[in-house]
Amino acid sequence: MSERPAETSPGPRHIGIIMDGNGRWARRLGLPRSAGHRAGARTVRRITEHAARLGLRQLTLYAFSSENWSRPEGEVRLLMRLFARYLRSERERLLRNGIRLRVIGRLDALPALVLDELAASMEATRHGARMTLCLAINYGGRNEIVDACRALAARAVAGKLDPDAIEAEDLAACLYQPDMPPLDLIIRTAGEMRLSNFLLWQAAYAELWVTEVPWPEFDADCLDRAIADFRRRERRFGGLPADAPDLRPSPTALRG
Ligand code: IPE
Ligand code: IPE
Ligand code: MG
């Protein structure tokens, strides 16, 4: 990681957050894991509104991974109920704040109560132009790439696509949200240094920022700190730093 002393880059336009640590936060307070998930839902509201105030184009929140089905049935059921309740209770507020709700993931496996609320929120907020809030639910980065490959393979089999002509942009066009703005920054709360299958394709050149703060305690100041750190990073995308010495041989060296 290369850091510059002053904030030199523009702020991120698209931030993805791995909202982790609900269970550990609750355990530390002697509460059941369910209390951690409820507190986490309140953080979602706070951070979404702050992100919109900051002028982000998109905030993508990792709410439920394709691997989270392996948790006890009771916890999965509680999470699904919380998603439905969050979607219902926040609909008006999202609408008022000009926030468009979108979703990525394998939706067909979700219970009807979540699907119905999702459909209603996406429909109600579809003209929201201030910011997009994208929820990753039953989302897995590998599944997303597999699903895109299936779509490309189907077109190739139908004779509509030459396999040798497939480029990265063709695959990107088959991802769950093809018009997703480039992912600038991934924040992970609660300290783990891993992606846990979040936005694998999109993470290629995203900056990473990990905090020990568990999701229920993550607040506007934490988000501001992550963004300030981001602005001190130098993103090179494989190129050279702006102030790198010019390593091209000089014309005299070539002659000599
Ligand atoms: C994140 O918190 C919420 C989800 C993954 C749904 P966790 O439930 O993973 O909390 P920890 O990691 O056990 O503390
Ligand atoms: C990542 O958290 C998934 C979400 C935040 C939805 P996990 O708690 O599932 O990740 P691992 O198991 O620690 O990698
Ligand atoms: Mg966790």
Side-chain angles (χ1 to χ4, degrees):
M1 176 176 73
S2 154
E3 297 223 344
R4 288 170 161 190
E7 293 182 358
T8 51
S9 340
R13 299 196 311 160
H14 178 191
I15 297 180
I17 306 186
I18 303 172
M19 310 183 286
D20 198 20
N22 292 352
R24 278 165 282 172
W25 175 84
R27 196 177 53 212
R28 225 177 297 138
L29 294 176
L31 300 169
R33 290 178 60 83
S34 55
H37 294 313
R38 288 197 180 89
R42 291 192 288 274
T43 306
V44 169
R45 172 192 296 166
R46 276 204 309 271
I47 293 303
T48 301
E49 297 198 344
H50 189 57
R53 273 197 300 274
L54 293 174
L56 248 64
R57 268 185 70 194
Q58 179 156 333
L59 178 67
T60 300
L61 299 179
Y62 203 7
F64 193 87
S65 77
S66 49
E67 287 73 38
N68 286 148
W69 296 107
S70 65
R71 296 187 177 202
E73 205 189 312
E75 177 160 342
V76 171
R77 218 174 319 119
L78 171 97
L79 284 166
M80 295 299 155
R81 275 206 311 272
L82 280 179
F83 295 150
R85 192 184 308 162
Y86 164 84
L87 288 162
R88 202 171 36 246
S89 68
E90 293 304 297
R91 193 168 300 137
E92 272 305 310
R93 193 188 287 260
L94 293 176
L95 193 57
R96 254 198 332 269
N97 284 314
I99 297 172
R100 177 179 180 187
L101 186 97
R102 297 182 78 167
V103 67
I104 52 174
R106 284 188 175 169
L107 302 185
D108 46 6
L110 296 175
L113 87 157
V114 176
L115 285 176
D116 292 348
E117 301 294 349
L118 270 175
S121 290
M122 289 192 293
E123 170 62 21
T125 65
R126 70 188 187 286
H127 297 304
R130 189 164 163 224
M131 187 183 84
T132 294
L133 170 65
C134 176
L135 298 181
I137 307 186
N138 189 25
Y139 174 87
R142 287 180 170 181
N143 283 346
E144 181 176 34
I145 294 169
V146 166
D147 290 349
C149 289
R150 286 180 183 167
L152 290 175
R155 275 171 31 210
V157 167
K160 293 179 182 147
L161 180 68
D162 172 7
D164 289 329
I166 296 173
E167 301 289 352
E169 302 77 58
D170 299 306
L171 195 144
C174 296
L175 296 175
Y176 295 142
Q177 187 195 329
D179 59 347
M180 182 181 273
L183 181 65
D184 296 311
L185 174 63
I186 295 177
I187 294 173
R188 181 164 188 149
T189 59
E192 309 293 355
M193 297 278 187
R194 55 176 173 259
L195 289 176
S196 301
N197 209 5
F198 184 51
L199 298 178
L200 296 184
W201 176 274
Q202 298 86 343
Y205 270 102
E207 296 292 323
L208 308 178
W209 195 84
V210 176
T211 175
E212 290 296 326
V213 174
W215 180 245
E217 288 177 5
F218 192 86
D219 60 12
D221 282 351
C222 298
L223 184 58
D224 290 346
R225 217 160 358 100
I227 292 174
D229 280 355
F230 172 90
R231 297 188 62 187
R232 282 190 286 269
R233 307 263 183 98
E234 183 177 48
R235 306 180 77 192
R236 291 191 290 278
F237 300 98
L240 293 179
D243 57 357
D246 191 348
L247 298 178
R248 280 171 302 178
S250 70
T252 43
L254 279 177
R255 256 183 262 123

